[in-house]
Amino acid sequence: MAKGVISAADQAEQLKQDGNTYFKKNRLGAAIDAYTEAITLCPNIPVYWTNRALCHLKRNDWTRVEEDCLKAVQLDNKSVKGHYMLGLALLQKEKYAEGIKELQRALDLGRGAHPNSYMVEEIWQELATAKYQEWERDSTKRSWELRRLKESCETALEEKYSRDDVSQKTDDTDEISNSTSEQLAALKLVFDKAAEADTPTDVPDYLCCKITLDIFRDPVITPSGLTYERAVILDHLEKVGKFDPITRETLFASQLIPNLAIKEAVEAFLEKHGWAYKMD
């Protein structure tokens, strides 16, 4: 390479830096142009695609977000930002199953690379919201179907009562009426039981962090047997002191152990109840 000649890779990297500067100044159009030029020079660098996708996201241009993120994850299937923004774009199209799959992938990758980063928490919250929205949509559909079926069954019982009443005149009217009432009551119990799965559920206390009172994401247990959310207890140890906030016993970060039993219990609870509660 002749002296003074800048390589395509160096030019692309400079364009990326220019794009970052424009983005920080909220000059999204200029940032997109810079990232696009970088992509033209070096199309196989996934970060150029995710950076441009983030600009499109800021503009709510979800079709372009999806396109750029699809390219990014093709280039690097371990791109946390690629899977994350792709998941958000799919959710905008109400493709809940696909969007949730991408967010879960982003969360798994994020936990493996940077378990205590702010982005892991952000992804978790988006995943929780997405699962709730999916449950809400499906439960609403199920509720309407159950309601129509219940009304059809009640109508059929009442029509049967009317036919029996007419055919048997007045002799057994009270008996028929009582039997019909019992059947209607039994029918109500059956449908009430069927609707329980779509009823919002409170999270048990033992599945919640004693500090935040929020459901565990990444629970860790201390030598004293207490379980906390990892990010919260680490923040306490760093900013408050090296002691357990409840027992006041000396505690160091190295003593924290993942509480796999509670983590599995949380996942089982959320799976069983279909995320039938709204995240804050």
Side-chain angles (χ1 to χ4, degrees), residues 82-99:
H83 287 289
Y84 175 47
M85 289 187 287
L86 177 56
L88 296 180
L90 291 168
L91 292 174
Q92 288 294 319
K93 294 184 175 182
E94 297 188 359
K95 295 182 178 180
Y96 291 106
E98 296 174 44

Side-chain angles (χ1 to χ4, degrees), residues 178-194:
N178 290 336
S179 176
T180 301
S181 296
E182 291 174 359
Q183 291 178 34
L184 287 171
L187 187 68
K188 182 178 183 301
L189 287 175
V190 170
F191 280 97
D192 286 348
K193 184 66 176 178

Side-chain angles (χ1 to χ4, degrees), residues 101-129:
K101 181 180 178 181
E102 292 299 329
L103 290 180
Q104 186 64 61
R105 173 69 172 160
L107 182 62
D108 292 341
L109 289 169
R111 280 176 169 168
H114 306 288
N116 299 319
S117 72
Y118 75 92
M119 192 171 182
V120 169
E121 175 68 15
E122 184 177 316
I123 296 171
W124 200 96
Q125 290 287 350
E126 291 290 351
L127 180 59
T129 299

